[in-house]
Amino acid sequence: MDLPTLWFALAVTCWVLFFVLEGFDFGVGVLAGALGRDDHERGAGVTTIGPVWDGNEVWLVAAVGVTFAAFPDWYAALMSGLYLPFVLILLALAARGVALEFRSKGGTARWRAVCDAVLAGSSLLVAALWGAVLGVLATGLALGADGEVVGSGLGRSVAPLVSTPALLGAALGLGVALVQGATFLGLRTTGPLRARARVAALGALVPVAVLVAVVAPLGLVAVAVLAVLVVAVLVVARREVLAFAATSAAVAGGVVAVLAAHLPVVLPSTLDPAFSLTVAGAAASPGALRLITIAAVLVLPGVVAYQAFSYWVFRRRVASERVAT
């Protein structure tokens, strides 16, 4: 395997880890306030992601860093063509981080309710925007012969965001995040929140199944719908570990399908296929790839080990029912 191919596989791996780990994170952010009937239950929902949400976002830094370092032309086209959604994502992530960090700092229920509302709104927006970005990547951008996105001003970023693939991707991204979040809450809580999470997962699976049937390639529709049915059966059977694992595997498969659908093209041009960016064409120089390979060998194993350890430490369920004293 040559270095550009190796680094493309590594970039895809980082993006998959980000979408899998942050997918349930965003889903919990939306659902914790909606499923919790009082301050205690809402707090229990937020507690399930409290120790891990910031660690999950490390994979966004890793994915963006790998894309920038190994494929600068790909990175440049994505950032210029999707400037608006990426700015909105960063702003929403900042608001989300503030809500999570400061929720417990206020002493009143009203303060926590405000933080819960900000958390839900920002999580919903980020999940939808990432879905829109994946929808655009599945079809491509208006790349010119020089590999740059054609157009100028704000309209260059707005047009892809309001396209049919982006809108379908936004709806599917939000739906999948809700399913992931619901199955994670079912896995990590006890009591009434756990029971409501199962109902929420089944409710979210219905529109997800419809959207999957619409957006999946013809040959994969049956497989995609079957995956949704498998998750539904596992949720009904209260096999929460398997339900969450199946949902996460489906997310991983979807991200890989989008990023690798056009190989060796990494970003198709909607103007002319000849203008598309390929793995080899968008890659950095061989010397740069060799240098970052050394850095990756030194850094990435430590990141994986730390995150695995944090999930192991905080593996116990969070009680959503009130304990009599």
Side-chain angles (χ1 to χ4, degrees):
M1 182 183 295
D2 58 7
L3 282 179
T5 303
L6 174 65
W7 273 98
F8 177 75
L10 185 59
V12 170
T13 300
C14 290
W15 283 112
V16 165
L17 287 170
F18 167 69
F19 280 108
V20 168
L21 296 176
E22 281 288 78
F24 77 77
D25 208 328
F26 299 146
V28 171
V30 176
L31 291 172
L35 298 183
R37 296 292 185 265
D38 56 28
D39 186 57
H40 174 76
E41 291 181 2
R42 289 189 290 272
V46 174
T47 299
T48 63
I49 59 172
V52 298
W53 71 270
D54 49 354
N56 292 343
E57 289 189 359
V58 167
W59 290 108
L60 175 59
V61 178
V64 172
V66 167
T67 304
F68 169 76
F71 301 97
D73 290 345
W74 187 21
Y75 173 88
L78 290 176
M79 293 300 120
S80 62
L82 297 172
Y83 181 80
L84 177 61
F86 283 138
V87 168
L88 293 175
I89 285 171
L90 289 176
L91 292 175
L93 285 175
R96 188 172 182 273
V98 169
L100 282 164
E101 287 293 329
F102 284 87
R103 185 185 189 278
S104 61
K105 301 299 188 289
T108 66
R110 183 176 181 180
W111 170 262
R112 290 188 290 274
V114 170
C115 289
D116 289 341
V118 173
L119 174 62
S122 58
S123 297
L124 186 152
L125 180 60
V126 174
L129 285 171
W130 275 121
V133 167
L134 287 177
V136 172
L137 293 182
T139 54
L141 289 169
L143 299 177
D146 56 359
E148 296 185 3
V149 179
V150 174
S152 60
L154 190 61
R156 182 170 65 175
S157 289
V158 172
L161 195 59
V162 297
S163 64
T164 299
L167 295 176
L168 288 172
L172 186 57
L174 178 57
V176 171
L178 292 177
V179 174
Q180 267 196 292
T183 54
F184 185 77
L185 281 173
L187 173 65
R188 291 280 284 108
T189 60
T190 65
L193 199 58
R194 180 184 182 188
R196 293 185 205 119
R198 287 196 295 269
V199 176
L202 293 173
L205 277 169
V206 175
V208 166
V210 174
L211 288 166
V212 163
V214 171
V215 304
L218 186 60
L220 297 178
V221 170
V223 175
V225 173
L226 178 61
V228 172
L229 292 176
V230 168
V231 173
V233 170
L234 291 172
V235 170
V236 171
R238 301 186 180 186
R239 303 297 297 274
E240 289 145 341
V241 173
L242 293 178
F244 178 69
T247 306
S248 299
V251 172
V255 174
V256 172
V258 169
L259 296 179
H262 305 283
L263 284 178
V265 170
V266 293
L267 186 61
S269 171
T270 57
L271 300 179
D272 188 332
F275 300 159
S276 300
L277 293 177
T278 63
V279 172
S285 66
L289 291 179
R290 286 192 293 270
L291 180 62
I292 61 175
T293 299
I294 297 172
V297 170
L298 296 174
V299 174
L300 286 180
V303 175
V304 174
Y306 164 77
Q307 191 144 37
F309 176 73
S310 66
Y311 274 95
W312 173 256
V313 170
F314 297 104
R315 66 189 182 279
R316 297 186 182 279
R317 290 181 182 269
V318 178
S320 66
E321 65 270 38
R322 290 188 177 274
V323 179
T325 58

